[in-house]
Amino acid sequence: PPGPPLLLLCRRGGGRSQTCGGDVRPANPEAAAAAPEAPARPRPRSPRRSPGPPGEEAEPWSLSNLFKVTKLIRGTRTESPALAEDAQPTESEKEIYNQVNVVLKDAEGILEDLQSYRGAGHEIREAIQHPADEKLQEKAWGAVVPLVGKLKKFYEFSQRLEAALRGLLGALTSTPYSPTQHLEREQALAKQFAEILHFTLRFDELKMTNPAIQNDFSYYRRTLSRMRINNVPAEGENEVNNELANRMSLFYAEATPMLKTLSDATTKFVSENKNLPIENTTDCLSTMASVCRVMLETPEYRSRFTNEETVSFCLRVMVGVIILYDHVHPVGAFAKTSKIDMKGCIKVLKDQPPNSVEGLLNALRYTTKHLNDETTSKQIKSMLQ
């Protein structure tokens, strides 16, 4: 019988690439023993660094190439070379790839704006403490309106990200190919999927540590309501009307709004595509979780990470796909029948410096759907306490 997928990892150095492989373990040892003995082949050697220019340290792992270098071989005894350069979309991928790329180009700017968001806490406090002082009221309103414009931009980006995710899910789960085949064939789309999850976890980590966002928006809505009652023209009302304000309010009330958006989008995708086996979606997610876990927990692979941001990337993607899986799969990610090794994934998180993964552990604690189910083992629950 075919063995489990073989993870091949390609490394770059000095402009040239090399490929490394691992042993394929049979899924059924007894059947393997009964089968005719295959010709012996040499054990893969540890990869060597390609010589680069003098004084230049080779970079084995590239953040942008994480999923590009992942090759999943289904039960074959031959090794297949992984791509060495940035995963480029094939002709069949280009339409979706280009649509998603337009969205991802704005992702870093969104994070920078969120990171620099300081809020109007001082102006709001002054206005509340001196309600009769019109100048302070105008000053607070003038400070809040442009900030609400930023919050509107973040919310609208979440809608664009949702559409991008649905497009990728459609491409990576469509028939006749299996999820594993899709991840092999469409590495450029798999990389984009990972980048969306990476952005999502980063956005929510920043949002959770910035209470000014909800305070500013609450003040904006209260003040806008008071202005309407008094028939006072409100600058900024045209930018965020009442209907949009209601939707934004629900969005920012979530502890992890971007993750909630993507979870809902994935659930909706599955419910709207009833002709598509749910396993097509869940297997895609569980495979990506396994890839990240193996890369992080295997010393041979982990030792090649020269950039800590690559580790963070793997961790965020792993947590992101676990949460999506838990929302989509009928019994979730924590059940014994789950295709995700939750104990292994949690252990990988716990092995990191505590301050670097607390947000990710909280995401598993508070944004998953089935953690507190009776089918979840006590050991897993205790690991997340």
Side-chain angles (χ1 to χ4, degrees):
L6 166 68
L7 179 67
L8 288 184
L9 300 171
C10 169
R11 54 167 299 227
R12 300 204 312 173
R16 294 184 295 181
S17 66
Q18 295 177 340
T19 308
C20 59
D23 295 329
V24 180
R25 291 172 295 175
N28 187 333
E30 294 179 3
E37 187 174 349
R41 62 173 184 169
R43 183 179 181 85
R45 291 178 298 175
S46 298
R48 296 167 298 175
R49 287 188 178 273
S50 301
E56 179 182 324
E57 178 69 13
E59 171 58 72
W61 301 104
S62 166
L63 175 61
S64 64
N65 293 343
L66 174 63
F67 272 83
K68 172 268 299 179
V69 300
T70 302
K71 192 71 178 174
L72 300 162
I73 310 301
R74 302 173 313 286
T76 60
R77 287 187 175 274
T78 57
E79 295 180 2
S80 178
L83 297 176
E85 300 304 322
D86 284 337
Q88 296 301 316
T90 60
E91 282 301 317
S92 62
E93 294 175 89
K94 274 187 178 177
E95 183 180 355
I96 296 294
Y97 180 89
N98 290 337
Q99 291 171 7
V100 176
N101 202 42
V102 170
V103 178
L104 287 173
K105 279 182 178 177
D106 295 334
E108 199 59 38
I110 293 289
L111 290 174
E112 288 173 3
D113 285 348
L114 179 56
Q115 198 155 17
S116 63
Y117 190 101
R118 293 293 174 264
H122 174 71
E123 292 85 351
I124 290 172
R125 282 192 299 274
E126 289 289 306
I128 292 173
Q129 289 170 7
H130 305 89
D133 191 325
E134 285 301 320
K135 286 187 177 180
L136 289 178
Q137 306 306 311
E138 290 174 7
K139 184 178 179 182
W141 182 251
V144 164
V145 167
L147 292 173
V148 169
K150 280 189 176 183
L151 298 181
K152 178 190 174 188
K153 183 171 76 169
F154 300 160
Y155 171 75
E156 289 176 339
F157 186 77
S158 77
Q159 305 306 294
R160 295 172 61 201
L161 203 67
E162 176 184 352
L165 179 80
R166 287 165 66 85
L168 287 173
L169 283 173
L172 292 172
T173 62
S174 61
T175 54
Y177 301 112
S178 70
T180 305
Q181 286 174 315
H182 275 299
L183 292 177
E184 286 179 23
R185 293 168 56 89
E186 290 138 8
Q187 295 181 17
L189 298 186
K191 185 182 76 171
Q192 286 184 322
F193 192 101
E195 287 172 347
I196 284 178
L197 292 171
H198 180 234
F199 164 84
T200 296
L201 271 296
R202 287 179 69 195
F203 181 96
D204 286 345
E205 286 167 8
L206 291 171
K207 185 268 177 185
M208 279 194 291
T209 57
N210 195 339
I213 289 174
Q214 282 180 275
N215 293 339
D216 292 348
F217 197 65
S218 295
Y219 178 81
Y220 171 83
R221 297 202 72 189
R222 290 196 308 270
T223 306
L224 194 60
S225 178
R226 190 165 60 247
M227 287 178 169
R228 285 188 189 130
I229 293 171
N230 297 329
N231 292 318
V232 176
E235 177 200 350
E237 183 177 6
N238 292 333
E239 181 143 349
V240 180
N241 59 35
N242 198 47
E243 182 189 351
L244 178 57
N246 287 336
R247 284 187 276 125
M248 288 173 60
S249 184
L250 290 172
F251 177 76
Y252 287 112
E254 295 288 342
T256 53
M258 282 291 176
L259 205 47
K260 178 69 162 60
T261 297
L262 296 195
S263 297
D264 289 349
T266 308
T267 303
K268 190 175 180 182
F269 171 82
V270 170
S271 65
E272 288 179 351
N273 293 272
K274 297 188 185 300
N275 60 328
L276 197 67
I278 191 172
E279 290 79 16
N280 285 25
T281 303
T282 55
D283 286 358
C284 174
L285 299 172
S286 62
T287 299
M288 293 178 74
S290 297
V291 167
C292 292
R293 176 181 56 78
V294 168
M295 292 178 77
L296 289 164
E297 73 182 4
T298 308
E300 180 188 354
Y301 300 151
R302 175 64 183 265
S303 64
R304 298 179 197 147
F305 289 154
T306 60
N307 185 346
E308 278 304 308
E309 184 57 27
T310 311
V311 176
S312 299
F313 182 89
C314 290
L315 292 167
R316 290 189 183 109
V317 174
M318 181 181 74
V319 169
V321 290
I322 288 171
I323 292 169
L324 295 187
Y325 182 102
D326 193 57
H327 278 262
V328 172
H329 197 281
V331 297
F334 300 96
K336 288 182 180 179
T337 55
S338 167
K339 291 188 178 181
I340 296 179
D341 176 6
M342 284 306 306
K343 291 177 185 176
C345 291
I346 295 170
K347 184 178 184 303
V348 165
L349 286 166
K350 293 269 193 172
D351 286 343
Q352 313 306 314
N355 61 334
S356 68
V357 294
E358 191 58 31
L360 297 177
L361 288 168
N362 283 337
L364 290 178
R365 290 173 185 131
Y366 306 122
T367 65
T368 47
K369 188 177 179 181
H370 295 280
L371 173 61
N372 295 316
D373 288 1
E374 291 181 2
T375 54
T376 303
S377 72
K378 291 181 179 179
Q379 185 180 358
I380 288 178
K381 287 180 179 179
S382 66
M383 288 176 78
L384 284 174
Q385 282 178 353

